[in-house]
Amino acid sequence: MSDAIRHEVGIPVPQQKQRHEDETGQLISYVLPVYNEAEGIKHFHAELTSTVAGRPEFDYEFVYVNDGSADGSLRILRDIAKNDPRVRVVDFARNFGHQIAITAGLDLATGDAVIVMDTDLQDPPKVSLEMIDAWLAGAEVVQARRRTRRDTPFKRFTAHAYYRLLRSCAEVDIPVDTGDFRLLDKRAADELRSFRERSRFIRGMVASMGFEQQELLFDRDERVAGETKYPMRKMLRLAADGVTGFSTVPLKLITRMGFASLALALAGIIYSVTLRLFFPEITVSGWTMLMVVMLFLGGLQMLSLGVIGSYIGRIYHEVQQRPLYIVRDVIRHDQA
């Protein structure tokens, strides 16, 4: 394990034995973030292990990251690790968020290929086998693109609009309709581990790396149990991280709005002066226009400050240089 990983984990984590050239099979790592999934985690693990059993030519490891769950998920994960030697459980000291949980799993995964997927079975395990086939055919990054998704009409519409807006303004080509369900070749995973910014948007980071990328269409299922762990507040935060992390378009828009407001102000000045010179008897009526201009400029200034503040906030978090996450324990088969 690298010094950077030890620093992020914050506790001594035993180093896994290195794979030797004479060992048969390649190692496939699954990175599986968990947050309050006690109702469905056993079902998920049974489904995943049943699926990978159809490809016995590979070795597997399952890295579950307990992201500060408060519903008994850790107890269930301990039982799973106790009964399956391929399982490791990373237990966070508190909730750090989905993107950070994926990062921790990537830091500890040792496979020749790493598959990131959620544990609510909306990402079908059988699709991960198709990713492996694409990887064997030469793809270094395989991302699952949602052909259909079983969500509310509002969520489908907003997700559709957001991905296309992000792609139009981002400085890298971020694929539309893709989440974090993807496979990374060992080389790509190693490169992604070097990305240590705090406000993380992993699908954008992966897109920015390049490599030989391939899309795989799939139909996203409904959750097996529980409720979504991405309410509107978290969705908006992730969306903001995607825009501010990979685009300076909001800052450029401020400049354009500044020029537009300047043009309107000049037009207002000309209008006011004209009324004063040629129609002095009705100049009092200009109060309405004065209020409109003042409110418009005030709103524009507050919007501009908000956008600038978002970027300054990102800088503030980066210069603090705090660890991305803190691990309470790493649970293995012989420790569960």
Side-chain angles (χ1 to χ4, degrees), residues 316-333:
Y316 171 71
H317 288 303
E318 292 299 323
V319 300
Q320 286 178 318
Q321 289 296 304
R322 294 173 181 171
L324 293 182
Y325 53 86
I326 299 173
V327 173
R328 176 185 291 114
D329 195 10
V330 177
I331 303 164
R332 292 177 172 79
H333 171 68

Side-chain angles (χ1 to χ4, degrees), residues 29-204:
S29 298
Y30 280 81
V31 170
L32 309 163
V34 177
Y35 178 63
N36 290 346
E37 295 288 354
E39 295 180 36
I41 192 67
K42 282 187 176 180
H43 185 188
F44 168 80
H45 188 72
E47 184 76 20
L48 179 59
T49 53
S50 174
T51 300
V52 301
R55 299 295 295 271
E57 68 271 26
F58 297 105
D59 297 328
Y60 299 95
E61 70 170 358
F62 307 113
V63 182
Y64 287 95
V65 182
N66 178 43
D67 186 21
S69 298
D71 67 341
S73 295
L74 179 60
R75 175 181 52 80
I76 298 173
L77 290 173
R78 284 183 182 274
D79 291 338
I80 292 174
K82 183 177 181 179
N83 296 307
D84 191 339
R86 300 170 296 180
V87 170
R88 282 190 292 167
V89 179
V90 181
D91 181 29
F92 277 177
R94 64 170 176 82
N95 175 253
F96 284 89
H98 182 261
Q99 301 292 289
I100 298 296
I102 292 175
T103 301
L106 286 168
D107 286 344
L108 297 179
T110 59
D112 299 290
V114 181
I115 296 173
V116 179
M117 64 187 302
D118 290 333
T119 57
D120 53 12
L121 285 177
Q122 287 187 291
D123 299 337
K126 63 182 180 180
V127 176
S128 68
L129 299 186
E130 299 178 38
M131 291 180 171
I132 294 174
D133 290 332
W135 170 61
L136 293 174
E140 295 169 297
V141 175
V142 185
Q143 49 220 2
R145 179 174 178 178
R146 300 158 186 153
R147 179 167 43 208
T148 60
R149 56 187 299 168
R150 298 182 183 181
D151 288 313
T152 63
F154 174 76
K155 188 168 184 178
R156 288 199 301 269
F157 171 76
T158 54
H160 179 87
Y162 168 70
Y163 280 116
R164 281 147 187 84
L165 174 64
L166 178 61
R167 192 173 195 179
S168 66
C169 67
E171 296 165 359
V172 298
D173 185 16
I174 300 177
V176 299
D177 302 325
T178 60
D180 295 309
F181 186 21
R182 67 186 71 244
L183 176 146
L184 300 168
D185 178 75
K186 183 176 179 61
R187 172 69 189 282
D190 286 341
E191 292 297 332
L192 184 56
R193 292 183 187 105
S194 67
F195 287 57
R196 307 311 290 181
E197 57 257 45
R198 271 69 183 159
S199 301
R200 305 182 71 79
F201 189 69
I202 290 177
R203 63 201 73 171

